[in-house]
Amino acid sequence: MGPADAGPLLIVEDDLDIREALQGYLELQGYRVLVADHGREALAHLAGTPRPSLILLDMGLPVMDGHRVLTARRSDASLAKVPVVILSAETAEMSPRDRAVYAASQGVSAILSKPVDPRQLLETLRRLLPGQAAAQADAPA
C-alpha cells in the first residue's frame, strides 16, 4: 500500500507560500493532500469524505486557531484517532519537556518547528503512517 492508497494528508496553514511548498513537496512524494487556510475549513475537511489520515497543523491561524482545532478534534471520538503533527514557529521557543507535555495533553503525535526540515517531516510521516511510507527512501530535500 502506498501513500496514495490511504486517506489524504490535511495541511492546515494560513501562509500561502508555506502551504503550497508543503503540498507540492508531499505530492511529489506520492501523498494525496488536502489544504485548509484556517481551523473552520480544517474541521469541514475532517467531517467530509475521504477523511484525512493525518493533519499537519499550524497553530497561529485566522478564523479558528490550532488550539481550537485540537479541542474540537478531542471532543469527537472518531476525529481523535486522526494523528496530528503540529508545524509551528511558536513551538521553537518551547523546551523539549514542554513540547512533550503539550503534545501528550492535546493528543498530538509530533511537534515540528518551522521552518521544517523536509527529511524530518518525511520521517515523521513514515513513523506515524507506516503503511503509507513513500516509495523513495531517500526523498530529495
Side-chain angles (χ1 to χ4, degrees):
M1 173 151 107
D5 298 329
L9 305 180
L10 174 59
I11 299 170
V12 189
E13 171 62 61
D14 62 318
D15 183 305
L16 179 62
D17 292 335
I18 294 171
R19 189 172 62 238
E20 287 181 345
L22 282 170
Q23 180 179 9
Y25 179 70
L26 292 171
E27 286 175 347
L28 282 173
Q29 302 308 315
Y31 292 97
R32 289 183 301 138
V33 177
L34 298 172
V35 296
D37 63 0
H38 57 76
R40 271 198 210 127
E41 190 177 359
L43 292 179
H45 280 300
L46 289 169
T49 305
R51 174 160 292 163
S53 58
L54 183 136
I55 305 164
L56 297 171
L57 180 65
D58 183 24
M59 298 307 284
L61 299 166
V63 183
M64 175 188 275
D65 69 18
H67 303 285
R68 291 177 59 200
V69 171
L70 291 174
T71 299
R73 175 183 156 267
R74 282 193 326 272
S75 69
D76 181 322
S78 65
L79 294 182
K81 296 175 185 174
V82 179
V84 173
V85 175
I86 292 175
L87 296 180
S88 185
E90 293 176 16
T91 61
E93 302 299 318
M94 295 172 74
S95 71
R97 181 186 177 285
D98 288 345
R99 282 185 192 201
V101 168
Y102 184 78
S105 71
Q106 299 298 313
V108 170
S109 300
I111 299 176
L112 303 176
S113 294
K114 289 185 203 171
V116 66
D117 177 316
R119 291 182 193 273
Q120 184 182 23
L121 175 60
L122 284 183
E123 174 54 37
T124 300
L125 294 177
R126 289 179 182 132
R127 180 174 50 83
L128 296 174
L129 302 169
Q132 292 190 43
Q136 259 185 322
D138 287 50

